[in-house]
Amino acid sequence: TKDKEGLTLPVVITAYEDRTFDFIIKSPPASVLLKQACGIAKASGEPNKEKVAKVSKSKVKEIAEKKFQDLNTTSIEQAMKQIEGTAQSMGIEVVEG
């Protein structure tokens, strides 16, 4: 995880009766990746009225590819729509390019 220093990473820890465990590190939340891509510290408090940043479709696709294994879809286009929805709820405008 040294290359992911500073990112919030969700983990799944499964402990068994024989005191062994599984430790799975998932990809960062989409909101964290979007804030990092836009270079902003926090999302908009009123996403429908106040837009705080813009992100390109190519960045959205890059984020969707990073998150693909953790999303509940089999299509990269659907994964992109999920990331775009997160961006919209954060007050980030998705633009072509």
Side-chain angles (χ1 to χ4, degrees):
T1 58
K2 188 168 181 90
D3 61 329
K4 297 176 181 171
E5 191 170 333
L7 289 177
T8 303
L9 297 172
V11 297
V12 176
I13 300 172
T14 308
Y16 301 103
E17 286 183 17
D18 63 355
R19 296 182 180 253
T20 60
F21 61 92
D22 289 333
F23 186 83
I24 302 169
I25 301 171
K26 299 211 173 224
S27 60
S31 59
V32 171
L33 295 173
L34 284 165
K35 287 190 287 187
Q36 184 181 38
C38 294
I40 58 175
K42 66 178 199 167
S44 173
E46 298 180 26
N48 294 333
K49 297 178 184 176
E50 178 188 349
K51 300 296 180 189
V52 292
K54 293 181 180 183
V55 67
S56 67
K57 285 244 187 208
S58 61
K59 273 289 190 192
V60 168
K61 184 174 183 177
E62 188 179 309
I63 292 169
E65 288 169 349
K66 283 183 186 177
K67 292 286 300 171
F68 192 71
Q69 65 187 10
D70 292 334
L71 297 174
N72 58 350
T73 184
T74 57
S75 159
I76 194 69
E77 289 80 21
Q78 289 299 318
M80 286 177 64
K81 285 184 180 182
Q82 288 182 12
I83 302 301
E84 288 173 7
T86 301
Q88 183 181 5
S89 70
M90 294 173 66
I92 299 173
E93 188 177 345
V94 179
V95 295
E96 294 296 322

